[in-house]
Amino acid sequence: MITFTVEESWDRIESWLGRHAPVTHGLLRPPAVPADITAAELRLGVTFPPDLRKSLLRHDGVELQEGTLRLDYYGPPSGVGEIVRSTEFLREVGKDVAEEEDELDEEERDAYAYWPHERLLITLGIGWQSSDGLFLVTRPGPHHGRIGRYFDETGSSFTPWSGLRHVLSDFATALENGLPFDGRTPLAHEGRLIWDGGGTVVADPTSALDLAAGTPEPQLPAAEPAPPVPRPDGAHAVIAFGSGGFFQPGPEPPVQPDVVFVAGIDPGELLERLGSVPATARPRSREQARLSAGALWAAHRPMVRAGSCGDGWSYATQEGGDAQFGRPEVLGRLSRGTRVVRLAKQGCEVRVTVVEDGAERPEAGHRVESPREDYVTGPDGQPVLGRGGQQWQRIGVDPWPGSTAAYTRLLAGLTVEHGISWDPADDTAAPLASALLLPVLDEVPEARHPVTVVRDVDLGALVERTPPERLHSAMAAQLARLASESDIDGYPEIARALEQVGRGEPVDLTADGALDLRMRTIQAEARAVRGLLDEARHQPDLAPVTAADLAAWHGRNAAAGALRRFLLLPLPAAAETVLSLRMSLHWRDELAADLADWDLSGRSCAEPDRDG
């Protein structure tokens, strides 16, 4: 690839800005005064590399205001004054370690030093401050003029650019050809230079649920008695090994699952309200349920067991997967027309929650916390610390015994308060009705702030000046394009909904309806793929899915969520989500065309004239 000189690259940059982004072009500063550059070199005690000097003699940075030229996340180019201020600021921040770093050799300084004296910060990063941006090495030698990226939270690292002329050359090429520059693409919008990531996803990502469907559910091995150990006299004895000693089995940890009790419905209906997957329903012991929940067969879907207890109560315990019983959406479904009592223990806290017909009753709830008791203290009562400063902990000790006791105490209180009688230890081995869940969707939160700017488009102003029907038509078209980009329009339930949205017709989004189930399935796919990739990080074998699969399912899930918001929220809030997710770099032009494609009678220009 040809690398242009600094002057040639600035010619190309100015030419493109003049034609496409005149506002940004007008914010380029005039050339720096050579004497100011010399004074900066003397003040900083370094010599500016030729490329930096040539660039500053073309433009002494840019005016720092809306629409100015930015090298995307690296920020706007600095002028002489900003270079001096940023460099002196970073030297001051790193002065405490400067003497130690002076002992490092050249390679070590580049790799480990906080802010070597010979570095200059030549852009103002994301926040237009000295906290991040591109830096340049002024030290003579093999790295002279090399470009790196500084970020105050992660430190410094070098980029592939060996000099400023390479940065400017690549930037000019990206402008002229609409190509990515370090991962994102420069565009012109309303006379200003903007940046957009765009993106695509694989068209046919691997389905984790299909992988699960083709995998058998693991089964517990049949219990076998321990082989007898012969005695010299011919008698036999069985030796048990456990934490309690050679001849005493260790104590089992208390069984304290997250549990919900629901009045007036049977276990089967309870599982249905939770969103059980019918094909996975069968009786399971707790051990079997937990074994199954951790297998590929489960595809990271939650596993629950359900039974009956007390007088007219059913209960469900969660045995694996992402926690469900504390979610407002789940408690709302479970308590529809009845009462739900939830008992949960997490760390130091035990909590009882009561919900009736979707409304929580705070006065009926309980909450208990207990102090941690597995930390080691000395005779003076002070913590005993290890070499690294961490506090010593006892092994095999319940860290919150008070909470363990509280769980049992609160459970006993449920009998008195609600007529619930249940002992979690009683159903450990019993085969109870159980199933994997297709988790219900999160509630769509109400918009709590006015719509403003979305990806450099002033959506707030657009909403104010556009008639609602016209705006709805344009955003419906944007939604349809998002669905096509993410490939969710291939699902018949979603394709039908998009057609209805385009015609302005109501769409059925009832719980457990076809569209709701499709959206929940897409979400389950995204969760399962992410789980498989996370597991593979700790295993020698490769995951059966890839990062590209995850990106595709995440995109589908986000697009399905945008459709749901479009159906449930006011149009401005829904539009904000749709536009934030568009993948095409040309969506702004498409939006402008959608808004213009409307005649004065308030009807789409593409709509036939029925009066003719």
Side-chain angles (χ1 to χ4, degrees):
M1 179 180 293
I2 299 174
T3 300
F4 292 84
T5 66
V6 169
E7 294 85 349
E8 290 171 335
S9 293
W10 269 118
D11 286 340
R12 299 163 66 204
I13 293 168
E14 291 172 9
S15 176
W16 188 91
L17 293 176
R19 294 195 310 272
H20 302 286
V23 173
T24 301
H25 184 275
L27 295 175
L28 297 173
R29 288 178 185 159
V33 177
D36 291 342
I37 298 177
T38 302
E41 292 176 319
L42 291 173
R43 179 168 177 170
L44 296 176
V46 298
T47 300
F48 286 13
D51 286 351
L52 178 58
R53 176 178 285 269
K54 292 175 183 177
S55 183
L56 291 170
L57 289 175
R58 190 64 175 259
H59 293 289
D60 189 20
V62 297
E63 298 295 335
L64 298 176
Q65 62 187 66
E66 183 180 358
T68 198
L69 184 145
R70 296 178 293 113
L71 296 178
D72 197 20
Y73 292 134
Y74 300 127
S78 295
V80 175
E82 285 111 11
I83 290 174
V84 171
R85 286 191 293 273
S86 295
T87 302
E88 289 183 335
F89 169 76
L90 292 170
R91 286 179 180 178
E92 177 67 20
V93 172
K95 68 178 182 179
D96 291 341
V97 295
E99 292 185 4
E100 300 175 12
E101 294 175 350
D102 285 341
E103 301 176 1
L104 302 176
D105 62 29
E106 183 173 322
E107 293 296 331
E108 290 173 334
R109 286 173 63 78
D110 285 335
Y112 305 115
Y114 174 76
W115 192 260
H117 182 83
E118 62 273 8
R119 283 185 185 175
L120 302 175
L121 193 71
I122 61 172
T123 70
L124 297 172
I126 298 172
W128 297 10
Q129 298 175 352
S130 304
S131 57
D132 65 309
L134 292 178
F135 68 81
L136 180 149
V137 177
T138 65
R139 182 184 64 247
H143 295 313
H144 183 66
R146 190 176 179 186
I147 302 294
R149 195 261 172 113
Y150 165 74
F151 186 48
D152 60 357
E153 294 184 7
T154 57
S156 302
S157 60
F158 282 109
T159 69
W161 294 305
S162 58
L164 182 56
R165 69 180 182 278
H166 298 85
V167 177
L168 296 174
S169 181
D170 285 356
F171 178 49
T173 300
L175 288 174
E176 292 176 337
N177 298 288
L179 298 174
F181 171 84
D182 200 39
R184 283 166 50 93
T185 304
L187 304 167
H189 176 65
E190 296 183 345
R192 294 173 172 82
L193 172 68
I194 65 171
W195 293 83
D196 204 320
T200 58
V201 295
V202 294
D204 189 20
T206 300
S207 165
L209 298 188
D210 285 350
L211 292 175
T215 303
E217 178 182 2
Q219 301 298 316
L220 290 173
E224 297 182 1
V229 179
R231 284 184 171 180
D233 58 1
H236 296 79
V238 176
I239 299 177
F241 295 88
S243 60
F246 284 102
F247 300 100
Q248 295 293 330
E252 291 290 332
V255 179
Q256 297 176 329
D258 199 356
V259 57
V260 287
F261 305 92
V262 185
I265 66 173
D266 60 37
E269 183 178 350
L270 174 53
L271 287 177
E272 290 179 7
R273 291 194 181 194
L274 286 169
S276 62
V277 179
T280 67
R282 74 174 182 86
R284 293 178 179 87
S285 66
R286 173 165 288 122
E287 188 178 4
Q288 176 63 62
R290 293 184 175 181
L291 174 67
S292 300
L296 176 62
W297 169 85
H300 291 272
R301 290 168 289 183
M303 168 68 78
V304 295
R305 300 168 72 225
S308 300
C309 67
D311 185 11
W313 289 86
S314 293
Y315 70 93
T317 59
Q318 180 153 358
E319 307 297 347
D322 297 334
Q324 297 295 305
F325 297 163
R327 298 176 58 204
E329 304 84 3
V330 173
L331 292 175
R333 282 171 59 108
L334 291 178
S335 65
R336 188 173 61 241
T338 186
R339 183 194 312 167
V340 167
V341 178
R342 177 194 177 218
L343 175 61
K345 178 177 183 290
Q346 183 174 14
C348 64
E349 180 182 270
V350 184
R351 182 187 293 266
V352 171
T353 307
V354 179
V355 182
E356 288 192 4
D357 204 13
E360 184 176 349
R361 291 178 48 200
E363 77 284 356
H366 302 277
R367 180 173 176 269
V368 179
E369 286 189 354
S370 64
R372 190 166 191 137
E373 296 188 14
D374 62 334
Y375 285 128
V376 178
T377 57
D380 57 356
Q382 296 301 311
V384 177
L385 304 180
R387 292 182 178 179
Q390 77 278 13
Q391 189 170 353
W392 284 96
Q393 294 172 260
R394 298 183 181 90
I395 298 175
V397 175
D398 184 351
W400 296 290
S403 295
T404 298
Y407 184 97
T408 303
R409 185 173 69 254
L410 292 176
L411 184 58
L414 298 184
T415 303
V416 177
E417 295 182 51
H418 304 282
I420 296 171
S421 178
W422 178 69
D423 184 344
D426 288 346
D427 69 5
T428 296
L432 296 182
S434 65
L436 295 175
L437 304 183
L438 189 63
V440 300
L441 299 172
D442 291 338
E443 294 177 352
V444 175
E446 296 181 3
R448 297 183 179 179
H449 59 86
V451 173
T452 53
V453 176
V454 180
R455 295 168 72 180
D456 300 290
V457 171
D458 192 344
L459 182 57
L462 181 63
V463 169
E464 288 184 2
R465 69 173 182 260
T466 307
E469 188 177 358
R470 182 179 184 181
L471 183 65
H472 183 279
S473 175
M475 292 306 167
Q478 290 287 310
L479 178 63
R481 294 190 186 97
L482 172 62
S484 177
E485 290 168 343
S486 58
D487 213 25
I488 64 170
D489 57 350
Y491 297 112
E493 305 89 350
I494 292 179
R496 188 180 309 112
L498 291 171
E499 292 174 0
Q500 293 170 325
V501 167
R503 295 194 296 264
E505 299 173 355
V507 176
D508 181 13
L509 192 55
T510 56
D512 299 321
L515 183 58
D516 176 67
L517 290 174
R518 174 57 64 189
M519 291 179 172
R520 287 160 60 186
T521 301
I522 293 173
Q523 181 174 269
E525 289 278 16
R527 172 64 185 92
V529 172
R530 186 175 72 251
L532 290 173
L533 288 175
D534 289 343
E535 287 178 352
R537 294 174 185 171
H538 309 290
Q539 298 174 354
D541 298 330
L542 294 176
V545 292
T546 66
D549 295 322
L550 177 59
W553 284 114
H554 177 76
R556 291 187 180 191
N557 188 39
L563 169 58
R564 189 162 171 255
R565 292 175 69 89
F566 197 91
L567 300 176
L568 297 177
L569 290 183
L571 183 56
E576 185 177 19
T577 300
V578 173
L579 296 183
S580 69
L581 294 173
R582 282 297 313 275
M583 300 181 192
S584 170
L585 292 173
H586 308 294
W587 68 267
R588 298 169 187 82
D589 296 333
E590 294 168 348
L591 176 59
D594 293 335
L595 292 169
D597 189 21
W598 197 272
D599 65 15
L600 295 178
S601 66
R603 181 180 59 207
S604 170
C605 294
E607 182 179 343
D609 187 348
R610 294 183 177 84
D611 296 333

